[in-house]
Amino acid sequence: MNRRSLLAGAASLGAPLAMPRLAAAQGSRVLKFLPQIDLAFLDPHWTTAYVTRGHGHMVFDTLYGQDSSFKASPQMVEGHVVENDGRLWTLTLRQGLLWHDGERVLARDCVASIRRWAKRDALGGALMAATEELSAPDDRTIRFRLSRPFPLLPETLGKVSSPMPAMMPERLANTDPFKQITEMVGSGPFRFLADERVAGSRNVYAKFEQYVPREGARMSWNAGPKVVLLDRVEWTTIPDAATKVAAIQRAEQDWWENPTHDLMPLLQRDRRIRIEVTNPTGTVCMMRPNHLQPPFDKPEARQALLHAFDQASFMQAIVGDNPASYNLPHGIFCPGTPMASEAGLEPLKGPRDYGKARRLLQQAGYNGEKVAMLVATDYSHLKAIGEVAADAMGKIGLNVDYIATDWGTMLQRRNNRGPVAQGGWSCLNTSWEGADHMDPASHYAIRGNGAETGAWPGWCVSERLEQLRDAWFAAPDLAGQQAACREMQVQAMRDVPSIPLGQYIQPTAYRTNITGVAKGFPTFWGVQKG
């Protein structure tokens, strides 16, 4: 029998008791933030939208956290014990954890939350596939009885990417995972002020006064003690980038999550504003074809795009001509990380072959039908790559219907599996943080599970991609994992679940009186306003 114990600090979480007007009067304790996009959806289990992920980590906590080196450590749990050769995990919740409504956090709340989240998350689904029994023997104990060892269990329950494994009260966690929860009751370091929400414009968070940070660890990204030094954080949605620049220059706003590259020189010239790269994995862009509907239901039509798209053109449309701001070639894994390679990337290299692309479309039986491309134009980088894509697709004879929409509407429409004539779609453009594409564990864009209910829109079906993903999980060492990923990339160039368009580096911008900005996506514990 193997037995090991991992123990961390103790803590609990709390809710702001001060009235919003009182908190607002304390200017140095109120931080005003410009998120990347409007917070259209609040349920952190329901969507992969990063803005919802950021909201989720403020309001909800997770059983484990991850530091800036992607190592997991206990967060809501005090620690865990592993027995029976890795097939029995016993997790113990910290003492004194509270929901924002004042109720105690119980193990059965967490069990229900894990079950709900795992139905929407690729890595959570892999954990549950290895789980024979998930139970709560008492109020503080969570037990996983596994059919096989799953050493990534802490990393799974502490993943920072979306959808995040948010813990919520059992009454909310029992909601159908394919329906949104509407009540924001978490145990995280901030409480969501629903009565101050203005949809499409404003979201407000107040310090949860009863929150007790973890002890005995260093604060890093989503791990360690989440020490809140602000009374209130206000998120303001401003669609126009130039207006955002003016707002942060005039100190009407304190922090802009993702300033556009074309306006960066204006910010760089202002000594009151700091420009910083907090996420070295950058942003990876892609086109997602709809595998259910013509013309991209045929692999030849999807392969045609590989020969038509010039990754450098996509990146330059976003960041300009500075090659230091982007990395190519970009395959299915984040460039510069252990699983990345150039295996199978020949179709993406060298001069574009429009003739070959046209021949592949002909083999697919394409005859000029309308191709509905969804473009979320309130994301400047998605608008840019949409325009480049439309131009390249036109050059190979595709009849592109460029459908400009906002991000929230696109998220709704992409769930439509029907034909274009019935409100469906042919392809869409999207992006991810590079950290989400470091390996196959939670990489939605290379899944071949399109026949499953919770599959990511685009609905790629590839038995071989799923086999290779399983091989990665089963690999005994790094070399075995890398071998599986090289073969997976070669297979992806055949099946084309998605088309990689490049990786670029995205800085953040904040006024110099703001301190404590951490690595990773924006978090607000440890942040101060002078």
Side-chain angles (χ1 to χ4, degrees), residues 121-417:
D121 183 78
L123 188 52
L127 171 59
M128 293 308 296
T131 300
E132 291 182 344
E133 176 193 340
L134 172 58
S135 61
D138 58 49
D139 287 350
R140 292 183 58 210
T141 303
I142 302 166
R143 179 176 295 159
F144 284 87
R145 193 180 304 277
L146 306 175
S147 59
R148 61 181 184 276
F150 196 92
L152 290 176
L153 187 145
E155 288 76 10
T156 300
L157 297 178
K159 70 186 285 281
V160 297
S161 56
S162 55
M164 61 162 290
M167 296 297 105
M168 53 186 63
E170 184 180 29
R171 61 186 175 81
L172 298 180
N174 285 336
T175 303
D176 183 336
F178 297 95
K179 295 180 180 178
Q180 293 190 66
I181 61 168
T182 57
E183 188 181 355
M184 294 294 105
V185 177
S187 63
F190 290 90
R191 185 166 66 93
F192 183 67
L193 303 185
D195 59 344
E196 295 195 44
R197 172 175 165 82
V198 179
S201 176
R202 170 186 168 92
N203 293 280
V204 182
Y205 306 84
K207 180 180 179 180
F208 184 23
E209 297 289 355
Q210 293 169 270
Y211 175 78
V212 179
R214 262 199 68 211
E215 296 178 355
R218 180 178 64 89
M219 184 169 62
S220 176
W221 203 3
N222 196 43
K226 297 178 180 178
V227 178
V228 176
L229 304 171
L230 300 164
D231 292 323
R232 180 179 170 95
V233 179
E234 299 175 359
W235 289 20
T236 304
T237 302
I238 301 177
D240 180 65
T243 305
K244 291 180 182 179
V245 169
I248 196 169
Q249 287 180 323
R250 292 195 297 258
E252 294 168 358
Q253 297 291 329
D254 300 308
W255 185 357
W256 183 4
E257 180 176 4
N258 61 333
T260 57
H261 285 259
D262 61 327
L263 295 175
M264 204 76 71
L266 290 174
L267 297 173
Q268 290 169 334
R269 287 196 293 267
D270 192 327
R271 287 180 293 179
R272 299 165 301 175
I273 297 172
R274 180 173 290 117
I275 309 295
E276 185 177 0
V277 175
T278 56
N279 182 359
T281 66
T283 299
V284 294
C285 298
M286 67 174 59
M287 174 177 279
R288 177 70 166 179
N290 186 340
H291 291 238
L292 297 182
Q293 300 298 332
F296 300 125
D297 58 334
K298 300 294 193 300
E300 295 85 356
R302 303 191 297 271
Q303 292 164 12
L305 299 179
L306 298 176
H307 296 277
F309 286 169
D310 174 28
Q311 290 186 336
S313 296
F314 286 100
M315 294 298 95
Q316 289 166 6
I318 299 170
V319 304
D321 295 331
N322 182 7
S325 295
Y326 60 89
N327 291 304
L328 301 177
H330 166 215
I332 64 174
F333 298 108
C334 178
T337 60
M339 299 302 131
S341 74
E342 295 190 21
L345 296 187
E346 288 73 20
L348 296 172
K349 298 178 180 180
R352 299 297 76 204
D353 193 338
Y354 297 126
K356 183 169 185 176
R358 293 188 194 98
R359 290 192 295 274
L360 285 166
L361 286 177
Q362 188 176 28
Q363 292 173 28
Y366 179 69
N367 195 31
E369 296 85 359
K370 184 181 293 185
V371 175
M373 179 172 66
L374 305 183
V375 182
T377 55
D378 48 353
Y379 266 121
S380 62
H381 69 290
L382 297 185
K383 182 176 183 291
I385 63 177
E387 291 168 353
V388 174
D391 179 67
M393 292 163 73
K395 289 178 179 177
I396 62 174
L398 287 167
N399 178 15
V400 178
D401 182 13
Y402 183 105
I403 301 174
T405 183
D406 63 88
W407 177 250
T409 301
M410 193 204 76
L411 289 180
Q412 292 281 14
R413 182 164 177 176
R414 75 178 186 178
N415 293 321
N416 188 332
R417 294 173 178 251

